Protein backbone atom coordinates (compact mmCIF):
# COMPACT_ATOMS: atom_id res chain seq x y z
CA UNK A 1 0.00 0.00 0.00
CA UNK A 2 1.40 3.41 -0.94
CA UNK A 3 2.49 5.62 1.96
CA UNK A 4 -0.09 8.37 1.43
CA UNK A 5 -2.92 5.85 1.04
CA UNK A 6 -1.74 4.02 4.18
CA UNK A 7 -1.91 7.23 6.22
CA UNK A 8 -5.41 7.95 4.89
CA UNK A 9 -6.62 4.46 5.81
CA UNK A 10 -5.01 4.61 9.26
CA UNK A 11 -6.34 8.09 10.18
CA UNK A 12 -9.84 6.91 11.23
CA UNK A 13 -8.29 4.06 13.24
CA UNK A 14 -6.12 6.64 14.98
CA UNK A 15 -9.19 8.65 15.94
CA UNK A 16 -10.84 5.46 17.23
CA UNK A 17 -7.99 4.74 19.63
CA UNK A 18 -5.01 3.37 17.70
CA UNK A 19 -2.97 6.55 18.24
CA UNK A 20 -3.61 6.37 21.99
CA UNK A 21 -2.73 2.64 22.02
CA UNK A 22 0.57 3.36 20.23
CA UNK A 23 1.42 6.07 22.77
CA UNK A 24 0.73 3.67 25.62
CA UNK A 25 2.95 1.11 23.89
CA UNK A 26 5.98 3.42 24.08
CA UNK A 27 5.19 5.12 27.38
CA UNK A 28 8.02 4.96 29.90
CA UNK A 29 10.66 3.69 27.48
CA UNK A 30 14.31 4.55 28.05
CA UNK A 31 17.57 3.84 26.26
CA UNK A 32 18.17 2.82 22.67
CA UNK A 33 14.98 1.86 20.82
CA UNK A 34 14.53 0.00 17.55
CA UNK A 35 11.11 0.34 15.93
CA UNK A 36 10.61 -2.41 13.35
CA UNK A 37 8.17 -1.98 10.49
CA UNK A 38 7.86 1.72 11.22
CA UNK A 39 5.98 2.37 7.98
CA UNK A 40 5.21 6.07 7.67
CA UNK A 41 6.23 6.65 11.29
CA UNK A 42 2.82 7.13 12.87
CA UNK A 43 4.14 5.98 16.26
CA UNK A 44 7.40 7.97 16.16
CA UNK A 45 6.12 11.28 17.59
CA UNK A 46 4.89 9.50 20.72
CA UNK A 47 8.26 8.38 22.07
CA UNK A 48 9.12 9.93 25.45
CA UNK A 49 12.12 12.21 25.99
CA UNK A 50 13.72 9.49 28.14
CA UNK A 51 14.57 7.55 24.97
CA UNK A 52 18.25 8.01 24.13
CA UNK A 53 17.86 7.19 20.43
CA UNK A 54 15.27 5.84 18.03
CA UNK A 55 16.19 3.73 15.01
CA UNK A 56 13.28 3.07 12.65
CA UNK A 57 13.36 0.37 9.97
CA UNK A 58 11.03 -0.59 7.17
CA UNK A 59 11.18 -2.29 3.77
CA UNK A 60 9.27 0.55 2.10
CA UNK A 61 11.60 3.43 1.18
CA UNK A 62 8.72 5.78 0.31
CA UNK A 63 7.11 5.20 3.72
CA UNK A 64 10.43 5.86 5.43
CA UNK A 65 10.60 9.30 3.81
CA UNK A 66 7.33 10.19 5.54
CA UNK A 67 8.63 8.66 8.79
CA UNK A 68 11.77 10.82 8.62
CA UNK A 69 9.56 13.94 8.57
CA UNK A 70 7.60 12.76 11.60
CA UNK A 71 10.73 12.34 13.71
CA UNK A 72 13.76 14.04 12.15
CA UNK A 73 16.12 12.94 14.95
CA UNK A 74 15.41 9.24 14.36
CA UNK A 75 17.87 7.12 12.41
CA UNK A 76 15.83 5.77 9.50
CA UNK A 77 17.09 2.56 7.90
CA UNK A 78 15.78 0.72 4.83
CA UNK A 79 15.87 -2.88 6.08
CA UNK A 80 13.83 -5.98 6.79
CA UNK A 81 13.10 -7.22 10.30
CA UNK A 82 14.00 -10.68 8.97
CA UNK A 83 17.61 -9.56 8.37
CA UNK A 84 18.50 -6.72 10.75
CA UNK A 85 21.73 -4.85 9.87
CA UNK A 86 22.79 -4.29 13.49
CA UNK A 87 25.29 -6.00 15.81
CA UNK A 88 24.16 -8.33 18.59
CA UNK A 89 22.75 -6.65 21.73
CA UNK A 90 22.49 -3.20 20.07
CA UNK A 91 19.17 -2.08 21.58
CA UNK A 92 17.46 -1.81 24.96
CA UNK A 93 13.95 -2.04 23.49
CA UNK A 94 12.36 -3.23 20.25
CA UNK A 95 8.88 -1.95 19.38
CA UNK A 96 6.43 -3.16 16.74
CA UNK A 97 2.96 -1.87 16.00
CA UNK A 98 0.81 -3.80 13.52
CA UNK A 99 3.86 -5.32 11.86
CA UNK A 100 4.14 -9.06 12.43
CA UNK A 101 0.88 -9.81 10.61
CA UNK A 102 2.70 -8.86 7.39
CA UNK A 103 6.14 -10.38 7.96
CA UNK A 104 6.70 -13.37 5.64
CA UNK A 105 9.00 -15.25 8.06
CA UNK A 106 7.92 -14.15 11.56
CA UNK A 107 9.94 -16.81 13.38
CA UNK A 108 13.13 -15.66 11.64
CA UNK A 109 12.21 -12.01 12.32
CA UNK A 110 11.71 -12.68 16.03
CA UNK A 111 15.04 -14.50 16.13
CA UNK A 112 16.63 -11.35 14.69
CA UNK A 113 14.83 -9.16 17.24
CA UNK A 114 16.07 -11.45 20.02
CA UNK A 115 19.62 -11.17 18.67
CA UNK A 116 19.75 -7.37 18.53
CA UNK A 117 18.19 -6.91 21.98
CA UNK A 118 20.58 -6.77 24.92
CA UNK A 119 20.06 -9.50 27.56
CA UNK A 120 17.21 -8.27 29.75
CA UNK A 121 15.99 -6.03 26.90
CA UNK A 122 12.30 -5.58 26.22
CA UNK A 123 10.09 -6.35 23.23
CA UNK A 124 6.84 -4.38 23.06
CA UNK A 125 4.25 -5.35 20.46
CA UNK A 126 0.80 -4.14 19.53
CA UNK A 127 -0.61 -6.58 17.00
CA UNK A 128 -3.87 -7.92 15.65
CA UNK A 129 -3.82 -11.70 16.06
CA UNK A 130 -5.69 -14.95 15.76
CA UNK A 131 -8.78 -14.91 17.97
CA UNK A 132 -8.98 -17.43 20.82
CA UNK A 133 -12.58 -18.38 19.99
CA UNK A 134 -12.98 -21.12 17.40
CA UNK A 135 -15.74 -19.27 15.53
CA UNK A 136 -13.81 -16.03 15.13
CA UNK A 137 -10.59 -17.88 14.32
CA UNK A 138 -12.36 -19.85 11.57
CA UNK A 139 -13.73 -16.61 10.14
CA UNK A 140 -10.21 -15.14 10.19
CA UNK A 141 -8.89 -18.25 8.41
CA UNK A 142 -11.53 -17.89 5.70
CA UNK A 143 -10.93 -14.15 5.20
CA UNK A 144 -7.13 -14.18 5.34
CA UNK A 145 -6.33 -15.25 1.72
CA UNK A 146 -8.39 -12.40 0.20
CA UNK A 147 -7.36 -9.93 2.92
CA UNK A 148 -3.69 -10.76 2.35
CA UNK A 149 -4.01 -9.99 -1.38
CA UNK A 150 -5.88 -6.71 -0.76
CA UNK A 151 -3.52 -5.40 1.94
CA UNK A 152 -0.14 -6.41 0.61
CA UNK A 153 0.48 -9.35 2.91
CA UNK A 154 -1.46 -8.80 6.15
CA UNK A 155 -2.66 -12.01 7.79
CA UNK A 156 -5.61 -11.84 10.16
CA UNK A 157 -4.92 -15.19 11.81
CA UNK A 158 -1.31 -15.15 13.06
CA UNK A 159 -0.62 -16.53 16.57
CA UNK A 160 1.99 -13.92 17.49
CA UNK A 161 2.05 -14.74 21.21
CA UNK A 162 3.10 -18.33 20.49
CA UNK A 163 5.77 -17.14 18.04
CA UNK A 164 7.21 -14.76 20.65
CA UNK A 165 7.46 -17.59 23.17
CA UNK A 166 9.03 -19.94 20.62
CA UNK A 167 11.69 -17.32 19.85
CA UNK A 168 12.90 -17.59 23.46
CA UNK A 169 11.31 -14.50 24.99
CA UNK A 170 9.78 -14.46 28.46
CA UNK A 171 6.32 -12.91 28.13
CA UNK A 172 5.90 -10.46 31.01
CA UNK A 173 2.48 -9.11 30.09
CA UNK A 174 -0.22 -9.98 27.60
CA UNK A 175 -3.39 -7.96 27.22
CA UNK A 176 -6.03 -9.12 24.77
CA UNK A 177 -8.72 -6.78 23.45
CA UNK A 178 -11.47 -6.92 20.83
CA UNK A 179 -12.43 -10.49 21.74
CA UNK A 180 -8.77 -11.47 21.66
CA UNK A 181 -8.16 -10.22 18.10
CA UNK A 182 -5.87 -7.42 19.31
CA UNK A 183 -2.99 -8.03 21.64
CA UNK A 184 -0.40 -6.06 23.59
CA UNK A 185 2.64 -8.21 24.32
CA UNK A 186 5.51 -7.14 26.55
CA UNK A 187 8.33 -9.67 26.62
CA UNK A 188 11.96 -9.77 27.72
CA UNK A 189 15.07 -11.39 26.39
CA UNK A 190 16.32 -13.56 29.27
CA UNK A 191 19.57 -12.43 30.88
CA UNK A 192 21.02 -15.94 30.72
Amino acid sequence: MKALAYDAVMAPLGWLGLTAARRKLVRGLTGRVLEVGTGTGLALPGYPETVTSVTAIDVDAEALERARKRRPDAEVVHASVEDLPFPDASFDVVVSSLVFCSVDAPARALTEVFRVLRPGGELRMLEHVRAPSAGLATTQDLLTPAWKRMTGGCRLNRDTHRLVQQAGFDVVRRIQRLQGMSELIIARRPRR
Side-chain angles (χ1 to χ4, degrees):
M1 186 179 297
K2 293 292 183 192
L4 191 57
Y6 178 82
D7 283 354
V9 168
M10 295 307 283
L13 295 176
W15 304 327
L16 293 172
L18 183 57
T19 299
R22 284 181 166 146
R23 294 204 180 195
K24 285 180 187 175
L25 182 68
V26 300
R27 185 180 296 149
L29 292 183
T30 60
R32 297 161 299 161
V33 176
L34 171 64
E35 182 177 298
V36 298
T38 199
T40 62
L42 293 173
L44 292 177
Y47 282 94
E49 292 179 11
T50 51
V51 169
T52 308
S53 67
V54 176
T55 302
I57 69 145
D58 202 280
V59 295
D60 184 334
E62 179 187 348
L64 284 173
E65 287 306 313
R66 292 182 69 82
R68 183 174 279 117
K69 292 174 185 166
R70 287 198 163 100
R71 182 146 189 150
D73 65 328
E75 179 185 5
V76 176
V77 179
H78 186 244
S80 167
V81 67
E82 296 155 320
D83 188 23
L84 295 171
F86 309 109
D88 295 356
S90 296
F91 298 96
D92 299 303
V93 182
V94 175
V95 173
S96 78
S97 176
L98 305 178
V99 174
F100 277 83
C101 58
S102 298
V103 173
D104 286 333
R108 186 169 85 211
L110 285 163
T111 298
E112 279 290 277
V113 167
F114 190 94
R115 180 185 66 76
V116 301
L117 263 177
R118 68 166 171 73
E122 190 171 80
L123 169 63
R124 290 192 183 188
M125 305 176 85
L126 177 63
E127 300 287 340
H128 64 83
V129 296
R130 183 178 186 80
S133 95
L136 282 175
T138 299
T139 302
Q140 287 175 308
D141 291 341
L142 292 171
L143 292 174
T144 290
W147 184 257
K148 183 179 170 191
R149 281 190 300 279
M150 290 185 331
T151 61
C154 176
R155 295 152 186 93
L156 298 170
N157 58 353
R158 186 156 280 162
D159 187 352
T160 303
H161 179 257
R162 181 182 52 80
L163 290 166
V164 168
Q165 290 177 310
Q166 288 175 342
F169 288 96
D170 294 330
V171 175
V172 175
R173 189 169 182 202
R174 179 186 188 195
I175 299 172
Q176 294 178 305
R177 294 194 173 100
L178 301 173
Q179 298 183 358
M181 293 187 294
S182 173
E183 203 162 70
L184 167 72
I185 299 171
I186 299 176
R188 291 202 180 277
R189 177 181 169 176
R191 292 187 186 275
R192 54 188 171 337

